[in-house]
Amino acid sequence: MTAGSRPPARGRNAGVGSTGARERILDAAVRLFAESGFDATPTSRIAEHAGVPKGLIHYYFRRKEDLLVALVERLPEQSVPCEEVVVRDDLAASLRGLVAELERRVQPSPVLSHLLWREAETHEVIRAALRRRFQLVVEQIRRVIEAVLPYDRADDIDTAALLLARAVNHGHSTARLPESRSLLDSEIGLIARALDPRPRWHPRPRGT
């Protein structure tokens, strides 16, 4: 196949090879965009690193920006079932469970996460996708809080969900930096105490 030509017609095994080529292109794009930035990386270099003809990139991705759209889709799923993290009558533990699960999911892709948040500064398509993901985190935090609190504090809950989601978002945007990793224990503790000041019962240590 020469550069600029389309892939051969799909036969019985063509799908496997084609899928592999598309994934190699995306793998190369992540590495090169992380090293040099999106604008400074030509598609010819991506093709070279992926081991495919340049024309194959344009077969799968009509515009170079479509590579960024496809990379957003590689980010881990953020929808965490509420019942998996809620601890009855313990808001702090519930929020820590949610944040820990979101952190666990983003851990395999720190370079991709860091890259996309960086490129969001200049590409609206990335900003729009990340805004949608951010709003999903806000909604999940709100649902967890509402599942634990025994009373309605709608305005405070909205504010708390937004603040914690911003902290989570910041952690994911700097996920490539190990020293930035945190389960936000202090922030979660502060939010939990502000929303639910009910005293907690803790068993006394033996011998006291």
Side-chain angles (χ1 to χ4, degrees):
M1 184 186 300
T2 59
S5 63
R6 295 171 73 87
R10 290 177 178 270
R12 185 174 59 181
N13 297 320
V16 175
S18 299
T19 301
R22 185 179 187 277
E23 293 307 304
R24 291 200 306 275
I25 291 169
L26 291 175
D27 287 342
V30 169
R31 293 194 304 272
L32 295 174
F33 291 164
E35 292 172 3
S36 306
F38 175 83
D39 294 327
T41 303
T43 54
S44 58
R45 190 170 174 223
I46 296 173
E48 179 184 356
H49 279 250
V52 302
K54 180 180 177 181
L56 197 58
I57 293 182
H58 297 294
Y59 177 83
Y60 290 118
F61 308 100
R62 186 172 60 86
R63 303 170 305 160
K64 185 181 174 185
E65 197 173 50
D66 291 338
L67 284 164
L68 292 176
V69 176
L71 291 178
V72 170
E73 295 171 356
R74 278 188 160 195
L75 286 171
E77 173 62 48
Q78 284 189 295
S79 182
V80 179
C82 193
E83 62 272 13
E84 290 187 4
V85 297
V86 166
V87 179
R88 184 179 178 183
D89 293 329
D90 194 331
L91 181 55
S94 300
L95 291 175
R96 288 189 180 105
L98 174 61
V99 171
E101 177 58 22
L102 292 173
E103 171 75 7
R104 184 191 67 80
R105 294 185 182 193
V106 81
Q107 279 181 356
S109 53
V111 174
L112 175 59
S113 296
H114 182 74
L115 160 68
L116 291 174
W117 262 273
R118 186 186 69 194
E119 294 296 337
E121 295 180 4
T122 52
H123 296 91
E124 172 57 28
V125 65
I126 301 299
R127 288 197 296 273
L130 293 180
R131 281 196 297 267
R132 290 192 294 270
R133 291 175 64 85
F134 173 75
Q135 191 56 42
L136 178 58
V137 173
V138 173
E139 292 169 0
Q140 290 189 103
I141 293 171
R142 182 187 295 113
R143 285 198 299 270
V144 168
I145 295 173
E146 291 173 342
V148 177
L149 287 187
Y151 37 76
D152 181 15
R153 297 182 59 178
D155 291 342
D156 290 340
I157 290 173
D158 288 343
T159 301
L162 186 61
L163 288 173
L164 184 54
R166 285 173 176 167
V168 170
N169 211 40
H170 174 74
H172 291 179
S173 70
T174 57
R176 191 178 184 182
L177 309 174
E179 62 273 17
S180 71
R181 293 285 178 83
S182 168
L183 294 184
L184 305 176
D185 282 342
S186 298
E187 292 88 341
I188 289 172
L190 180 63
I191 288 172
R193 290 191 298 274
L195 289 177
D196 189 9
R198 293 176 296 168
R200 290 282 175 263
W201 178 82
H202 297 284
R204 289 188 175 187
R206 292 191 178 186
T208 61

